[in-house]
Amino acid sequence: GSTHEPRLQQHRLVQAVVRDLIPASQQAAYRVFAHKLLATANPGDPLVPANWPMYEALVPHVLSSGAATDSEPAVRALVLGEARTLQLRGEYQSSLDLSTTAIDAWPAVLDETDRDMLLARRERGNALRGLSQFAEALQVDQEIYNAVLERHGPDHPDTLLCVGGLAADYRRSGNFTAARE
């Protein structure tokens, strides 16, 4: 590549052969190890443009490893950062797929109003809006807003975070009065 960072590349066929050689009884342990390795490479805040190249380099590995199904906090942070970065790059479908996979997997260990679940659902709503699926985005954002409002009340930071997405949904659907309220 154009950077001076060391990189290791392996042909997909070699990857598949190596993956097939791992006994089934050990595959889960290797997957967890791979997720931990990926999480240690998390560049940090996805809103910082200097971090985008690293997020871009990690995304194929995050997607192919199934990291979105991992419930470890550090892995969840990487998945959420990737979902956000994908949206910032206009890759709404990839962001939607990643956040949906996480939303489907994480309830085994997280409550629906847990901060990471909230952020994953927020990213899902943002991706749906980016794909011009406004009615579905409104439904997703309304559901999480109602749950967070009931749990934390109207002045909690998570409630305020959710209401921002809801306002964007109303604005995009042309309901400017509801968006302002």
Side-chain angles (χ1 to χ4, degrees):
S2 61
T3 65
H4 297 288
E5 298 175 14
R7 296 187 185 263
L8 174 67
Q9 289 185 320
Q10 188 176 57
H11 192 278
R12 290 178 194 258
L13 182 58
V14 174
Q15 290 175 16
V17 169
V18 170
R19 196 172 21 246
D20 289 346
L21 291 174
I22 298 172
S25 62
Q26 295 177 358
Q27 287 180 1
Y30 277 98
R31 190 174 303 110
V32 168
F33 180 70
H35 295 167
K36 286 181 181 180
L37 279 176
L38 288 169
T40 62
N42 187 344
D45 189 347
L47 298 178
V48 175
N51 293 337
W52 296 351
M54 183 58 119
Y55 273 114
E56 186 174 2
L58 289 174
V59 75
H61 307 290
V62 169
L63 295 174
S64 68
S65 72
T69 62
D70 196 315
S71 61
E72 286 296 314
V75 179
R76 292 193 318 250
L78 174 62
V79 168
L80 291 168
E82 285 290 0
R84 188 67 165 149
T85 304
L86 287 165
Q87 284 178 43
L88 293 171
R89 292 193 339 234
E91 297 182 37
Y92 301 113
Q93 187 61 55
S94 294
S95 179
L96 177 62
D97 294 344
L98 186 62
S99 58
T100 299
T101 300
I103 291 164
D104 291 343
W106 294 350
V109 294
L110 299 178
D111 180 79
E112 72 172 349
T113 57
D114 180 273
R115 181 97 169 136
D116 285 349
M117 274 298 275
L118 162 73
L119 293 173
R121 292 175 77 177
R122 178 176 170 252
E123 296 306 336
R124 183 169 188 257
N126 289 339
L128 288 166
R129 242 186 332 280
L131 291 167
S132 301
Q133 297 177 16
F134 304 125
E136 193 173 347
L138 178 61
Q139 180 182 353
V140 165
D141 289 338
Q142 186 70 59
E143 288 172 4
I144 190 62
Y145 171 74
N146 291 343
V148 173
L149 178 64
E150 182 179 319
R151 169 75 58 90
H152 298 299
D155 297 324
H156 191 276
D158 289 348
T159 307
L160 298 174
L161 182 69
C162 292
V163 81
L166 199 53
D169 295 329
Y170 282 126
R171 183 175 40 94
R172 290 285 179 107
S173 64
N175 190 342
F176 301 112
T177 303
R180 185 180 60 236
E181 290 173 5

